[in-house]
Amino acid sequence: MNTSIYIAKRYLFSKKQTHVINVISGISMMGVLVGSAALIIILSVFNGLEEVILKLYSNFTPELKIEPRLGKTFDPNTPYLAGLGRDVRVVSYTQVLQEKALIKYADRQFIGTVKGVSDDFFKGRTLDSTIQFGSFTLKDKGQNFAVIGATVQSNLGVSLKSQLTFLQIFSPKRKAGNSTDPMNDFTFRSILPSGVFGIQQDFDDIIITPIEFTRDLLDEPNQVSSLELIYKKGTDVDAIEKRIEEKIGKDFTVKNRKEQNTGLYKTINYERWSIFMILTFVLIIAIFNIIGSLTMLVLDKRKDIAILTSLGANKGLIRRIFFFEGMMISVIGCIGGLILGLIVCLVQMQFHIIKMGSSLSVLDAYPVALKVSDIGLVFFTVIVIAVIASGISSNLSVKRLDEIKADL
């Protein structure tokens, strides 16, 4: 065994003449342990929340979305676009027609987005998981229904218990005249709400209806706003996206899920790394306690250092002893913290002990998802900080050699 590592290990586990050194070393180790555990737990919770949020978003954001580059609508019945729906790898080929509209319920009004969808909208999606009240029903016994977002419901005070009050949806006529009555320039249709869904503010101001209802409202018999595609599991969606972009031309844009929700992905990453940096600063404070611990250890072991120097030990050996001492404190604390953090995460995954605290929440308990990369990231972070702190401590210990020799 390396001499400096051997002596450092003896110093770490041996009883010190000054008891407070043991206390400070223990505090340093516990600080690293708690900090490492906190990092693993927080990162794992963020992983879990990210998976749940993106899973919920995937119910409304398809794997690929085709939109016109200019204008609001386009003809989906061209040979190439229609052929996309006949691809054997496609699970859902949904035609979408949407537009802003004035929604009225009883004596309240709200401006939201009416989204008409074709029947394939239900394929490849688990829509029931988003429902807060009612059911996700768009057609039943020949009658059209609407599923409304939580924001629409809260602003209009929609009650699903009443089957007599319809939603009235107003949209400007395509060929508005110069009527003295402004209401003559609007088309309105009535529809019953069947359910309320809740995901996030970007989606919760939407009313989802059958596309036939929206075509009638907007007087748009053929055009669509977008095409939404969902593929079978295992399909290389990135390769398909590139192929469609090459074939479809410059008049259209093709977006994957990340491109459809750039704000969401950026927000998740910003929050994740912000929390990581805050906890890293806490970890830095904990690890730099090692400097004080090793400085006091130098004073406690001054006779040992004098003996070592008289036997021929140079400054390099003394420096390495206290460097490895600091590294051992950090590594033991880090490994202990990783084990503690993993245990907490596994217990939460298995038993769901910590609840979200809301009966209306999509989640009952905080979700957790472990990633090997996070374990490596935390360990690497601790090691880098420990190397810096131990290096500073070992250099300070060497500077005290002359003082110790003078005293002895």
Side-chain angles (χ1 to χ4, degrees), residues 20-261:
V20 72
I21 299 176
N22 290 322
V23 175
I24 296 175
S25 298
I27 292 174
S28 300
M29 192 177 295
M30 286 299 299
V32 178
L33 186 148
V34 173
S36 302
L39 277 173
I40 281 294
I41 294 170
I42 292 297
L43 290 176
S44 298
V45 170
F46 262 94
N47 292 336
L49 289 171
E50 180 180 356
E51 287 184 2
V52 170
I53 291 172
L54 295 181
K55 184 178 180 181
L56 289 173
Y57 268 65
S58 67
N59 289 324
F60 285 84
T61 53
E63 290 180 305
L64 293 179
K65 186 175 184 179
I66 301 174
E67 296 177 311
R69 192 175 296 274
L70 298 175
K72 291 185 176 181
T73 59
F74 64 96
D75 184 4
N77 298 313
T78 61
Y80 181 74
L81 292 176
L84 293 175
R86 295 190 290 270
D87 190 332
V88 294
R89 296 168 296 182
V90 172
V91 174
S92 173
Y93 175 86
T94 305
Q95 295 186 358
V96 176
L97 179 63
Q98 65 181 43
E99 186 58 270
K100 288 284 186 181
L102 175 67
I103 305 146
K104 186 176 180 181
Y105 182 82
D107 59 345
R108 297 186 181 183
Q109 299 178 359
F110 179 78
I111 296 178
T113 300
V114 179
K115 179 175 181 177
V117 297
S118 59
D119 294 339
D120 266 14
F121 182 74
F122 288 90
K123 297 179 181 179
R125 294 176 166 97
T126 54
L127 297 171
D128 290 341
S129 63
T130 66
I131 288 293
Q132 295 182 350
F133 306 102
S135 63
F136 213 111
T137 303
L138 296 182
K139 294 179 182 179
D140 186 35
K141 298 179 181 179
Q143 183 176 358
N144 291 327
F145 290 89
V147 182
I148 63 177
T151 302
V152 179
Q153 191 273 335
S154 62
N155 279 274
L156 296 179
V158 177
S159 173
L160 299 182
K161 296 180 180 179
S162 174
Q163 295 296 316
L164 301 176
T165 307
F166 285 75
L167 291 171
Q168 292 183 322
I169 304 177
F170 295 81
S171 176
K173 292 182 178 179
R174 298 180 65 184
K175 297 180 180 179
N178 295 319
S179 173
T180 55
D181 185 359
M183 293 306 297
N184 291 334
D185 295 331
F186 285 82
T187 300
F188 85 91
R189 296 290 184 269
S190 299
I191 191 168
L192 272 173
S194 63
V196 178
F197 69 86
I199 299 178
Q200 199 266 349
Q201 190 173 3
D202 292 344
F203 291 101
D204 291 352
D205 66 342
I206 294 176
I207 293 183
I208 300 176
T209 69
I211 194 169
E212 296 83 4
F213 173 87
T214 312
R215 289 194 184 284
D216 182 43
L217 173 70
L218 301 179
D219 190 21
E220 188 62 81
N222 299 311
Q223 305 271 10
V224 298
S225 303
S226 63
L227 294 175
E228 298 184 351
L229 304 172
I230 297 177
Y231 291 86
K232 294 179 180 178
K233 290 183 178 180
T235 304
D236 188 350
V237 179
D238 292 335
I240 293 176
E241 179 184 7
K242 292 179 180 179
R243 190 175 303 115
I244 293 176
E245 287 176 337
E246 293 173 356
K247 297 284 187 180
I248 207 169
K250 298 181 179 179
D251 294 333
F252 298 90
T253 59
V254 184
K255 296 180 179 179
N256 56 34
R257 278 188 174 136
K258 286 188 177 180
E259 291 168 337
Q260 294 171 52
N261 302 295

Side-chain angles (χ1 to χ4, degrees), residues 26 52 394 404:
V52 170
S394 61
I404 293 171

